[in-house]
Amino acid sequence: MEPEMDALKVKILPEHQSSPSSTYTVTKPKSKSLILLLIATVAVTLGLLYVFSSNPVLLSGSLFCPLRYSVLIDAGSSGTRVHVFAYWFDQYGEPVFDFGEKHYADMKLTPGLSAYADDPEGASVSVTNLVEFAKTRIPKIKLRTSDIRLMGTAGMRLLEAPVQEQILDVTRRVLRSSGFMFRDEWATVISGSDEGIYAWVIANHALGSLGSDPLETTGIVELGGASAQATFVSSGHVPPEFSRTIAYGNVSYTIYSHSFLHYGKDTALKRLLESLQNSAENSTGDGIVEDPCTPRGYIYDTSSQNYSSGFLADESKLKGSIQAAGNFSKCRSATFALLQEGKDNCLYEHCSIGSTFTPDLQGSFLATSNFYYTAKFFELEEKGWLSELIPAGTKYCGEEWSKLKSEYPTTEEEYLRGYCFSSAYTISMLHDSLGIALDDERITYASKAGAKHIPLDWALGAFILDTVTPTSYYGGKSRKHLGFV
């Protein structure tokens, strides 16, 4: 079977146009018609050249601007996802991106690579399967000229440096033998700030706001499994350790970008449960404390082995010391207290979460990842959704676990159990901590953006930056079109 992204069969933007036909049947001409055939061939060639020169879109994916391919593996906390990109350069040397299904594919496997901390060799199976998927989407003749990269995020950042390197060395061995173009330095753990910048880039690329007034761009708040990111243009003073400058054309953007490590949905829930367990152990009473963020009737060790995130795999030890007692208001208070821990150590003018500087949020925002999944689960309106989340979370947290399983039979228990926590945690972070008004319609939840519904995945932003100037970012140099200054 031919790969779906075969350079000769793909659909080229805009959608109502396609690449020139690439399938021909050639028969041996008769000698009497050789001259006529040559004349016809020259005429057709000249005609095609005229069309190509007058309509640059038709060049996309053609003989003159062939498709190129790139692969990026996102080693996240809850899973590892491979992204396969097809792109081309127009006759002016500008990269053309299309994240539709004809030029983009992805696949995710669980658990994340950080789950192999005690068995680094185990990571090879996951990465090998992702590589094999990528190969099915790229013509074999293109493999050796297609680069493949791996970027680890918060789950990997939580590991000790030696353990990180052990896992990365295993992935490098797999990628070196993959048949793709690869260098050892292309498998790395990226900073949380970079992750936020990449997410900001793809969001504003999708919305068409790159190159516009900085204050007209859209910010990103993302809730991952092990960390949360906030990235947006700020007109106020931002300490240099939180500030990044990106240039696009003649426009320069000064961006606040920070990753709140340990504040992702999974790690925050784990921290809360550990805190409750410590309270139970230090209790002078019966040694049992209530967990307000888990629906009543939930038994902590029944499904812990099914958890793909790896963060709650040791949940069984909570049995007997913690009792599920879902209550949205109490859960909101508990999660807010979690977010404010360390605030007394704030050395800046303003700290919203812990002791980390956070400027006042301004402009429009997209809430992504677990913010999106939570809001989508409760079927909230995209605008004003924060105000709707409170009654929805209150009702959900107050339900019995058995009733919830019956009401949502197709939802995995790992996620079903977590929606009480994530609903309260969302309000605690976005409203109680970051100060976003409940009725503020400038913040919407989304997993895709723009007229073309481009996925809001930071890996797409990383691909854009790498493609514009493949090597300069890693050396901290500026880029020709879009990059760090």
Side-chain angles (χ1 to χ4, degrees):
M1 180 180 294
E2 292 292 326
E4 286 188 46
M5 297 171 65
D6 191 316
L8 299 180
K9 292 183 172 60
V10 293
K11 186 177 182 181
I12 305 302
L13 294 178
E15 294 184 357
H16 63 276
Q17 295 178 327
S18 59
S19 13
S21 174
S22 57
T23 303
Y24 302 92
T25 301
V26 181
T27 57
K28 185 177 180 180
K30 297 180 179 180
S31 59
K32 293 183 179 181
S33 59
L34 179 59
I35 296 178
L36 291 176
L37 178 61
L38 290 174
I39 294 175
T41 301
V42 171
V44 171
T45 301
L46 291 175
L48 289 174
L49 288 174
Y50 172 78
V51 172
F52 289 159
S53 63
S54 62
N55 191 342
V57 174
L58 290 180
L59 286 171
S60 303
S62 70
L63 177 64
F64 298 89
C65 294
L67 285 175
R68 304 185 183 194
Y69 300 86
S70 185
V71 180
L72 194 156
I73 298 176
D74 165 13
S77 58
S78 61
T80 307
R81 186 183 299 273
V82 64
H83 302 265
V84 186
F85 306 98
Y87 64 102
W88 60 95
F89 288 89
D90 63 21
Q91 73 268 40
Y92 305 110
E94 300 287 346
V96 181
F97 306 114
D98 172 23
F99 298 109
E101 62 180 10
K102 291 293 184 179
H103 298 100
Y104 168 71
D106 69 313
M107 183 179 78
K108 180 179 180 179
L109 295 178
T110 57
L113 296 189
S114 56
Y116 297 102
D118 295 328
D119 177 27
E121 284 297 326
S124 65
V125 177
S126 178
V127 176
T128 298
N129 288 335
L130 294 173
V131 167
E132 291 305 312
F133 170 81
K135 287 182 177 180
T136 67
R137 304 302 301 247
I138 299 176
K140 290 183 179 180
I141 196 173
K142 295 282 189 177
L143 291 184
R144 292 194 175 278
T145 58
S146 302
D147 60 286
I148 188 167
R149 301 170 187 271
L150 183 144
M151 296 183 180
T153 57
M156 291 287 285
R157 291 196 292 269
L158 287 172
L159 301 178
E160 296 292 334
V163 180
Q164 286 183 17
E165 278 304 309
Q166 288 176 9
I167 295 176
L168 289 175
D169 283 343
V170 171
T171 68
R172 288 168 183 145
R173 187 180 69 237
V174 174
L175 298 180
R176 279 196 297 267
S177 62
S178 67
F180 287 99
M181 180 170 60
F182 174 73
R183 299 175 185 171
D184 280 1
E185 61 266 29
W186 290 354
T188 186
V189 177
I190 65 174
S191 71
S193 178
D194 283 351
E195 186 178 346
I197 290 293
Y198 295 148
W200 184 90
V201 166
I202 188 57
N204 286 280
H205 167 80
L207 296 170
S209 49
L210 283 177
S212 66
D213 185 322
L215 296 181
E216 293 179 1
T217 58
T218 296
I220 289 289
V221 283
E222 177 184 9
L223 181 61
S227 66
Q229 278 73 236
T231 309
F232 58 97
V233 170
S234 175
S235 59
H237 171 71
V238 176
E241 59 266 36
F242 298 100
S243 179
R244 305 291 293 274
T245 300
I246 286 185
Y248 182 85
N250 296 322
V251 183
S252 180
Y253 300 95
T254 299
I255 300 173
Y256 169 85
S257 181
H258 184 71
S259 177
F260 299 89
L261 193 60
H262 301 287
Y263 287 95
K265 179 180 71 69
D266 297 328
T267 49
L269 176 56
K270 181 182 179 182
R271 289 173 60 199
L272 177 64
L273 293 175
E274 289 176 345
S275 175
L276 292 174
Q277 185 182 23
N278 290 334
S279 297
E281 291 175 351
N282 297 325
S283 172
T284 57
D286 56 10
I288 297 178
V289 298
E290 291 187 342
D291 171 13
C293 299
T294 300
R296 295 190 309 274
Y298 179 87
I299 306 300
Y300 289 93
D301 63 343
T302 55
S303 58
S304 61
Q305 297 305 313
N306 297 324
Y307 281 8
S308 60
S309 65
F311 289 107
L312 301 174
D314 57 351
E315 185 187 276
S316 59
K317 67 182 181 181
L318 302 175
K319 184 179 181 181
S321 62
I322 299 178
Q323 181 177 344
N327 183 295
F328 180 87
S329 295
K330 291 182 179 180
C331 183
R332 178 178 175 181
S333 297
T335 54
F336 179 69
L338 194 70
L339 289 163
Q340 298 305 299
E341 286 182 2
K343 193 169 186 177
D344 292 341
N345 300 320
C346 177
L347 301 177
Y348 304 96
E349 180 181 352
H350 182 62
C351 295
S352 298
I353 298 175
S355 59
T356 301
F357 170 81
T358 314
D360 292 333
L361 276 65
Q362 57 189 81
S364 300
F365 279 84
L366 293 176
T368 65
S369 297
N370 285 308
F371 289 134
Y372 166 81
Y373 298 132
T374 300
K376 193 68 174 178
F377 174 79
F378 288 111
E379 300 180 343
L380 307 180
E381 296 291 334
E382 290 186 6
K383 294 185 179 295
W385 61 282
L386 284 177
S387 61
E388 294 182 6
L389 183 56
I390 294 177
T394 299
K395 181 178 183 298
Y396 187 88
C397 289
E399 295 285 9
E400 287 284 344
W401 176 244
S402 58
K403 183 178 180 180
L404 292 175
K405 289 197 296 181
S406 176
E407 188 174 350
Y408 302 98
T410 61
T411 303
E412 292 184 30
E413 290 190 8
E414 174 184 2
Y415 304 118
L416 197 63
R417 171 267 177 88
Y419 284 123
C420 174
F421 172 84
S422 63
S423 62
Y425 192 53
T426 294
I427 296 297
S428 295
M429 180 176 287
L430 298 182
H431 175 64
D432 300 334
S433 298
L434 294 177
I436 299 175
L438 294 175
D439 59 352
D440 193 338
E441 295 188 350
R442 293 176 300 172
I443 180 170
T444 59
Y445 69 88
S447 64
K448 299 180 180 181
K452 297 177 182 176
H453 305 289
I454 295 176
L456 294 173
D457 192 310
W458 68 263
L460 277 62
F463 161 68
I464 289 176
L465 287 183
D466 181 69
T467 304
V468 171
T469 305
T471 59
S472 65
Y473 170 63
Y474 301 99
K477 302 176 183 178
S478 62
R479 294 174 178 275
K480 178 180 178 183
H481 302 291
L482 171 65
F484 298 94
V485 177

